[in-house]
């Protein structure tokens, strides 16, 4: 230890210095308070032994001044004095001393006092280190090393107060990795963790020195872009992030293509308090997702309106089953040559007392996002199986198609439920067809494929809906056990334009692979004629029949399944 000894008596000073040297310490000596203060600044001692009674500045005064020099540090001070009274001790402690040594003292007492101080000093250092570690731990995300949500909340508060004082703007970005859940499901959590670590690295790379990135939980990150000259800069950085994310992620032996959706909320435009900035960045991020992912969106008032509407719908949808607000219409599927009704597609309807009729295009995505689709889908499945069995008795091969989303398929409960219901309702598997869109299969290819294979083994047929609108139609056909292609209605609407080539090739492809081809959305005689001429076997559309209630379908089946376009609405 480096020990500063302050005593105006030369003999005492020297004796102490000698004792200290013997004890293995380095002694530095000063003969008065002023000299002690000067030396202290230069040598930074570990301990000070300070005589109380000195000429000029006394020990108490000297201790006070030394303490002021290093307000954040603690250097133990042991006072030296002749007769020590209680009031001396009190005064000494108040002046910043830590212990007292009465003259004369033995070398052993001196050694013991120093040892005690040494112990306290080392405990203090440990405490400082632990506190520092704790504060790092409590402010960073252990998986990725970026800040955590707690620290993000602190930083955003600071940013708000500094931006309001200096009238500057800053941006909050919410970044969500698209299809992260699929990565976890398919490749497992360790790969998911690696992906998050790499994503955090790439995000940090995109930011400037005074920006911040935090992991808010799951696959959601937030960024604070400090002091922006204009809100546009936030968009530029979002573009940079999307660009950096566009190169493949190499994680051990896997190469993954991941994109991100980014929502931007700028202070003060999109909110002046923490809660509204965070909420609005989140809403904007959802907008980016719904615009097809891999893009960024600034928060706007319009987003807020849409978001509120969505919350209202979601709240009402939670009770739709219980309140029996859901029902199913059946759109006939016809043989285009004979006009014979060979089956129907089940289309879900929701009628709410306040919201009126809500389109499935609106509520199905909300049901998927909130997970309500699983309960709703089970209800649809059960209703369809009951219906299919009833119609089977009247028409042995009347087939019912139902739409299923990939979220339902990857639910572990889906297959057992399907098998159970079919057994309960005695539905022959050949009466059922599941319709899945290409995009929904692609969202979760591996798990969906496995389930589809099992469904096929049960004897249920599989149809690819909206065929031609996805990106991987052909490769899907090779891999999946599908038996039907539904040509998307956008192609049928485009008949008599250049889309004919696509229709032609889908029909040829389907026919040559031995698949059933159903044209959707036939609205005119010309379209019907065209499809028939091209050899498209089956069709569906308002020109043939709008979706009908079960009762009307029932009548049609009894009346030998012939639909005349004039008899149906
Ligand atoms: P989709 O599977 O492509 O269903 C065909 C949609 O086209 C239906 O709309 C149908 O009413 C409509 N449509 C039929 N013929 C014509 C026509 O000639 N012209 C035009 N313009 N449209 C026609 P809908 O019933 O509104 O359903 C929309 C989507 O909602 C469906 O598209 C399907 O993806 C989804 N959906 C419906 N019911 C269910 C369900 O039970 N479960 C799931 N997961 N999704 C469903
Ligand atoms: Ca469909
Ligand atoms: Ca369709």
């Amino acid at each position: 230890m480096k020990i500063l000894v302050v005593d105006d008596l030369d003999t005492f000073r020297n004796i102490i210095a000698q004792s200290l040297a013997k004890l293995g310490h380095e002694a530095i000596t000063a003969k008065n308070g002023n000299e002690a203060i000067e030396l202290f600044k230069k040598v930074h001692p570990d301990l000070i032994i300070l005589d109380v009674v000195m000429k000029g500045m006394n020990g108490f005064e000297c201790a006070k001044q030394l303490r002021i020099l290093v307000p954040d540090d603690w250097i133990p001070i042991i006072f030296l004095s002749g007769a020590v009274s209680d009031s001396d001790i009190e005064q000494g402690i108040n002046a910043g001393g830590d212990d007292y040594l009465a003259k004369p003292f033995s070398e052993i007492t001196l050694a013991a006092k120093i040892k005690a101080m040494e112990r306290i000093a080392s405990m203090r250092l440990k405490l400082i280190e632990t506190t520092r570690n704790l504060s790092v731990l409590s402010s960073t995300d252990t998986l990725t090393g970026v800040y955590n949500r707690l620290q993000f909340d602190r930083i955003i508060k600071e940013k708000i107060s500094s931006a309001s004082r200096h009238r500057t703007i800053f941006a909050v970005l919410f970044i969500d990795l698209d299809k992260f859940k699929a990565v976890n499901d398919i490749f497992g959590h360790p790969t998911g963790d690696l992906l998050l670590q790499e994503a955090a690295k790439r995000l940090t790379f995109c930011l400037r020195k005074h920006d911040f990135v935090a992991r808010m939980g799951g696959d959601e990150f937030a960024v604070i872009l400090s002091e922006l000259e204009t809100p546009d800069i936030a968009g530029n950085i979002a573009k940079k992030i999307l660009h950096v994310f566009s190169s493949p992620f190499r994680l051990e032996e896997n190469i993954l293509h991941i994109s991100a959706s980014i929502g931007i909320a700028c202070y003060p435009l999109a909110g002046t308090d923490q809660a509204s900035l965070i909420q609005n960045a989140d809403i904007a991020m959802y907008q980016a997702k719904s615009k097809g992912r891999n893009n960024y969106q600034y928060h706007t008032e319009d987003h807020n309106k849409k978001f509120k509407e969505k919350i209202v719908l979601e709240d009402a949808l939670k009770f739709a089953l219980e309140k029996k607000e859901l029902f199913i219409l059946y759109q006939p599927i016809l043989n285009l040559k004979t006009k014979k009704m060979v089956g129907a597609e089940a289309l879900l309807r929701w009628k709410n007392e306040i919201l009126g009729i809500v389109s499935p295009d609106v509520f199905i995505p909300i049901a998927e996002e909130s997970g309500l689709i699983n309960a709703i889908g089970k209800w649809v499945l059960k209703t369809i199986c009951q219906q299919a069995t009833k119609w089977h008795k009247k028409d042995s091969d009347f087939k019912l198609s139902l739409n299923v989303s990939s979220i339902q398929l990857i639910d572990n409960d889906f297959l057992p439920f399907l098998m159970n219901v079919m057994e309960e309702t005695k539905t022959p598997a050949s009466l059922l067809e599941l319709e899945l869109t290409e995009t929904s299969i692609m969202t979760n290819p591996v798990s969906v494929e496995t389930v589809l294979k099992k469904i096929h083994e049960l004897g249920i047929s599989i149809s690819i809906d909206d065929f031609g609108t996805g990106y991987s139609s052909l490769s899907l056909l090779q891999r999946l056990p599908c038996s039907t292609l539904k040509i998307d209605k956008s192609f049928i609407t485009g008949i008599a334009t250049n889309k004919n080539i696509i229709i032609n090739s889908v029909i040829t492809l389907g026919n040559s692979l031995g698949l059933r081809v159903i044209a959707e959305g036939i609205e005119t005689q010309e379209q019907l004629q065209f499809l028939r001429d091209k050899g498209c076997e089956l069709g569906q559309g308002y020109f043939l029949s709008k979706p009908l209630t079960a009762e009307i379908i029932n009548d049609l089946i009894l009346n030998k399944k012939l639909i005349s376009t004039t008899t149906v609405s």
Side-chain angles (χ1 to χ4, degrees):
M1 259 190 157
K2 210 190 283 173
I3 301 176
L4 174 62
V5 181
V6 192
D7 199 318
D8 55 352
L9 289 180
D10 295 348
T11 38
F12 246 109
R13 233 182 20 249
N14 293 337
I15 291 171
I16 298 173
Q18 275 164 18
S19 305
L20 289 176
K22 247 199 257 166
L23 293 168
H25 298 294
E26 180 192 346
I28 301 124
T29 55
K31 51 180 174 303
N32 57 45
N34 287 327
E35 199 180 307
I37 290 167
E38 287 315 307
L39 265 177
F40 178 87
K41 288 184 200 159
K42 271 189 226 145
V43 297
H44 306 291
D46 303 311
L47 179 101
I48 302 162
I49 296 176
L50 183 55
D51 189 20
V52 174
V53 186
M54 290 188 292
K55 273 183 242 128
M57 187 191 296
N58 71 15
F60 295 150
E61 182 52 34
C62 178
K64 266 189 208 157
Q65 294 204 23
L66 290 173
R67 286 275 180 251
I68 294 169
L69 283 179
V70 280
D72 297 329
D73 206 354
W74 176 75
I75 289 136
I77 298 178
I78 302 175
F79 282 123
L80 276 180
S81 173
V84 179
S85 70
D86 283 353
S87 91
D88 286 343
I89 293 178
E90 193 185 1
Q91 229 187 320
I93 298 298
N94 289 342
D98 300 290
D99 204 351
Y100 244 106
L101 200 53
K103 291 182 192 172
F105 50 81
S106 68
E107 214 168 86
I108 294 175
T109 315
L110 177 67
K113 298 256 175 193
I114 293 173
K115 191 109 212 130
M117 286 303 145
E118 232 171 347
R119 252 185 230 145
I120 296 173
S122 102
M123 258 148 59
R124 179 177 168 272
L125 286 181
K126 270 191 202 126
L127 194 68
I128 291 173
E129 198 187 307
T130 314
T131 319
R132 194 178 299 137
N133 287 345
L134 269 178
S135 92
V136 170
L137 264 184
S138 69
S139 66
T140 52
D141 172 53
T142 37
L143 178 68
T144 59
V146 297
Y147 288 122
N148 60 16
R149 183 175 208 123
L150 202 75
Q151 186 62 8
F152 176 83
D153 286 346
R154 284 185 205 130
I155 297 171
I156 197 170
K157 273 191 198 124
E158 279 167 23
K159 288 286 152 196
I160 290 172
S161 69
S162 125
S164 81
R165 257 184 283 125
H166 302 108
R167 300 193 174 278
T168 50
I169 53 176
F170 72 93
V172 177
L173 270 60
F174 260 43
I175 299 140
D176 190 89
L177 305 184
D178 300 328
K179 298 169 194 166
F180 176 73
K181 197 181 164 304
V183 173
N184 262 344
D185 288 348
I186 299 167
F187 300 99
H189 286 261
T191 307
D193 285 353
L194 288 178
L195 174 61
L196 291 174
Q197 287 167 342
E198 177 64 22
K201 260 191 221 151
R202 293 192 188 186
L203 275 175
T204 313
F205 167 80
C206 293
L207 303 182
R208 302 159 307 169
K209 243 199 247 140
H210 46 287
D211 297 332
F212 299 89
V213 58
R215 178 163 165 243
M216 303 297 272
D219 59 334
E220 213 171 73
F221 290 90
V223 159
I224 295 180
L225 302 175
S226 313
E227 283 162 41
L228 299 177
E229 265 171 35
T230 61
D232 305 3
I233 298 167
N236 293 341
I237 296 179
K239 262 186 229 155
K240 188 171 164 192
I241 294 173
L242 292 176
H243 176 72
V244 167
F245 272 60
S246 69
S247 41
F249 285 71
R250 286 168 210 281
L251 309 172
E252 291 177 337
E253 74 272 27
N254 302 307
I255 296 180
L256 304 182
H257 294 267
I258 292 289
S259 59
S261 299
I262 305 177
I264 305 173
C266 289
Y267 172 96
L269 281 170
T272 48
D273 61 275
Q274 184 186 353
S276 51
L277 280 169
I278 291 180
Q279 193 192 41
N280 291 340
D282 200 26
I283 292 173
M285 193 267 292
Y286 272 100
Q287 287 301 319
K289 266 206 189 304
S290 67
K291 289 229 160 122
R293 300 159 201 269
N294 195 28
N295 72 78
Y296 67 90
Q297 288 283 313
Y298 279 93
H299 170 264
T300 65
E301 260 319 297
D302 194 38
H303 290 160
N304 264 2
K305 214 174 113 212
K306 283 198 190 129
F307 180 73
K308 280 180 195 140
E309 282 166 6
K310 202 181 107 185
I311 299 277
V312 170
L313 283 176
E314 193 179 314
D315 280 347
L317 192 59
K318 278 182 201 149
F319 301 101
L321 269 179
E322 187 181 303
K323 289 187 172 171
K324 300 197 172 17
E325 294 177 343
L326 298 176
F327 61 99
I328 295 170
L329 291 184
Y330 299 85
Q331 185 172 37
I333 296 173
L334 273 66
N335 179 308
L336 295 184
K337 272 206 192 107
T338 60
K339 289 238 183 131
K340 189 180 160 198
M341 181 167 68
V342 297
E345 175 179 3
L347 292 163
L348 188 56
R349 293 290 175 265
W350 176 27
K351 189 176 180 197
N352 176 270
E353 50 182 349
I354 297 164
L355 303 163
I357 297 250
V358 187
S359 157
D361 283 330
V362 174
F363 75 80
I364 296 284
I366 294 176
E368 288 180 342
E369 216 176 86
S370 58
L372 288 167
I373 192 71
N374 289 325
I376 294 176
K378 282 180 183 166
W379 177 83
V380 172
L381 204 60
K382 194 164 182 177
T383 316
I384 295 300
C385 282
Q386 286 163 344
Q387 199 53 262
T389 317
K390 272 190 214 156
W391 286 335
H392 177 58
K393 288 180 187 138
K394 296 171 185 157
D395 176 349
S396 61
D397 49 27
F398 191 82
K399 216 174 167 91
L400 277 184
S401 315
L402 68 148
N403 296 287
V404 188
S405 81
S406 61
I407 296 182
Q408 287 172 267
L409 284 190
I410 58 169
D411 177 21
N412 289 335
D413 227 18
F414 183 80
L415 257 184
F417 184 86
L418 172 68
M419 283 154 67
N420 238 334
V421 168
M422 281 170 57
E423 201 181 302
E424 238 173 59
T425 53
K426 305 202 170 42
T427 314
S430 62
L431 296 189
L432 295 182
E433 178 155 274
L434 299 191
E435 293 191 9
L436 272 135
T437 61
E438 277 173 77
T439 17
S440 114
I441 299 171
M442 290 319 291
T443 350
N444 224 336
V446 178
S447 359
V448 169
E449 270 182 53
T450 334
V451 186
L452 285 181
K453 282 189 181 125
K454 289 190 184 143
I455 290 172
H456 176 72
E457 280 160 19
L458 292 176
I460 297 174
S461 42
I462 289 153
S463 164
I464 302 188
D465 206 351
D466 304 346
F467 189 76
T469 54
Y471 300 103
S472 46
S473 313
L474 284 175
S475 68
L476 270 189
L477 284 186
Q478 282 168 344
R479 291 203 316 265
L480 293 181
C482 78
S483 46
T484 307
L485 300 183
K486 296 191 83 170
I487 311 178
D488 188 56
K489 53 178 176 289
S490 60
F491 298 117
I492 310 298
T493 317
I495 280 179
T497 67
N498 54 359
K499 297 215 167 144
N500 289 355
I501 308 166
I502 297 173
I503 300 179
N504 274 340
S505 42
V506 175
I507 297 173
T508 318
L509 179 77
N511 288 346
S512 60
L513 290 174
L515 302 174
R516 302 198 313 154
V517 178
I518 306 180
E520 288 188 303
I522 305 175
E523 289 182 345
T524 66
Q525 176 67 40
E526 292 72 46
Q527 292 166 353
L528 176 63
Q529 196 56 46
F530 176 89
L531 290 159
R532 224 189 258 160
D533 294 348
K534 296 293 172 198
C536 178
E537 189 200 351
L538 303 165
Q540 180 184 352
Y542 294 166
F543 184 68
L544 304 168
S545 170
K546 286 209 164 166
L548 306 169
T549 59
E551 291 73 36
I552 302 181
I553 297 279
N554 212 34
D555 285 348
L556 289 170
I557 292 177
L558 288 179
N559 291 330
K560 307 256 183 296
K561 311 165 255 187
L562 279 172
I563 289 190
S564 140
T565 47
T566 50
T567 57
V568 288
S569 56

